Amino acid sequence: TKAVWATELGYRKSPDDPGHRAVSETAAAKYFPRVFLSHLKRSAPRVYIYQLVDNGQTDELGIINHDGTLRKQFTAIKNFIQTFKDAGAAFPPEKLDYTLTGDLTNVESMLFQKRDKTFLLVLWQAVSSSNGPADINPVRKNVTVTLANAATTVRVYEPTFDLDVKNSLTDVTAINVAVPDHITVIEINGHGIEGTTSGTATTGTGTVTTGTTGGTTGTVVGGLNGSVAGSSNTGTTGSVYKSAYCTERYTNANIPP
């Protein structure tokens, strides 16, 4: 089999069109990190953003305005890179034994590990964030992450709009999170790694501008340079490129990532 590359991924600001719906700037900011992860879960090795700067035409697909000012989606992509970058050689990830409970309707998750042993558990609601150019703000889903072994420190981020710590916990096994329609990143440190999480580690390579991200099919655990473990995992090369080109996959179909 051959991997599928998403060669144009972008969200149109205006005008609204039945064949290519416009979305709000806020919704586009929410969608970009989600769509990167959604492609990664489906083993799409490369994603190209269309487009870097608006060309002054009417479709307004840029993450930077024609006058050079930054849009919210630029910040979302920048923060995504900052959160996940972890340059270096591929490595076999450890296992993290955890469960998710609560209202899991439309809640997606992915688990990564950095070289310093930190786990990053990512949660988001895969629902629409706009109806055309009008914003939709779905009710957050209350989810509990239960660890088999206590974590020394836990920090919760919502990096789509800023890199502020939203919650900080110490010596916990239960983490309560109100999951929005943009990514929530739970940073787990000092965990006990003994557990029964299924999957064996494999390795791949990939880049997110200055850092790296790996591909997976099963996605139980993913290292940020392509080290992954999963129940039906083949471990594929993974890349998210910030470039002048990128996809309308979800806006065209009006299906949220």
Side-chain angles (χ1 to χ4, degrees):
T1 60
K2 293 185 177 180
V4 174
W5 290 18
T7 58
E8 290 190 2
L9 191 152
Y11 295 97
R12 183 177 189 161
K13 184 176 179 181
S14 66
D16 197 20
D17 183 280
H20 188 175
R21 297 295 307 275
V23 302
S24 70
E25 188 173 326
T26 297
K30 293 176 179 180
Y31 284 158
F32 267 113
R34 286 167 45 178
V35 79
F36 293 158
L37 295 173
S38 295
H39 278 72
L40 190 57
K41 288 186 78 169
R42 292 161 178 80
S43 300
R46 295 189 180 185
V47 175
Y48 294 86
I49 299 170
Y50 184 83
Q51 62 198 84
L52 182 61
V53 182
D54 268 349
N55 56 16
Q57 299 178 358
T58 58
D59 50 4
E60 297 189 87
L61 286 159
I63 61 174
I64 300 175
N65 289 308
H66 188 58
D67 64 4
T69 57
L70 305 181
R71 289 186 178 164
K72 293 178 181 178
Q73 49 267 52
F74 180 96
T75 300
I77 295 166
K78 177 183 176 183
N79 290 351
F80 182 89
I81 294 167
Q82 180 65 32
T83 299
F84 288 94
K85 68 179 182 180
D86 190 43
F91 69 99
E94 298 170 341
K95 297 178 180 180
L96 179 68
D97 196 355
Y98 73 100
T99 57
L100 301 176
T101 55
D103 188 353
L104 300 177
T105 306
N106 295 319
V107 172
E108 297 280 340
S109 64
M110 291 187 75
L111 181 65
F112 299 86
Q113 188 179 34
K114 290 191 173 184
R115 287 167 186 76
D116 64 1
K117 308 298 185 181
T118 299
F119 279 108
L120 299 178
L121 176 60
V122 191
L123 305 174
W124 71 95
Q125 286 190 56
V127 296
S128 294
S129 298
S130 73
N131 180 12
D135 282 320
I136 298 174
N137 294 299
V139 176
R140 289 176 177 243
K141 299 293 183 69
N142 293 318
V143 173
T144 299
V145 181
T146 303
L147 305 173
N149 300 281
T152 304
T153 61
V154 171
R155 297 183 183 90
V156 180
Y157 301 87
E158 295 180 3
T160 295
F161 299 108
D162 61 62
L163 293 173
D164 297 341
V165 177
K166 305 302 180 184
N167 194 13
S168 183
L169 305 166
T170 57
D171 300 320
V172 294
T173 56
I175 308 160
N176 296 314
V177 183
V179 180
D181 59 336
H182 49 95
I183 63 169
T184 294
V185 178
I186 305 171
E187 179 189 275
I188 302 170
N189 295 284
H191 53 280
I193 63 172
E194 299 81 6
T196 58
T197 303
S198 62
T200 55
T202 60
T203 58
T205 59
T207 61
V208 185
T209 305
T210 57
T212 54
T213 293
T216 171
T217 25
T219 313
V220 176
V221 179
L224 296 212
N225 193 40
S227 300
V228 295
S231 56
S232 72
N233 174 35
T234 56
T236 116
T237 301
S239 305
V240 178
Y241 289 158
K242 190 180 99 178
S243 76
Y245 297 96
C246 58
T247 11
E248 299 113 24
R249 167 180 172 181
Y250 291 101
T251 45
N252 278 340
N254 203 25
I255 300 171

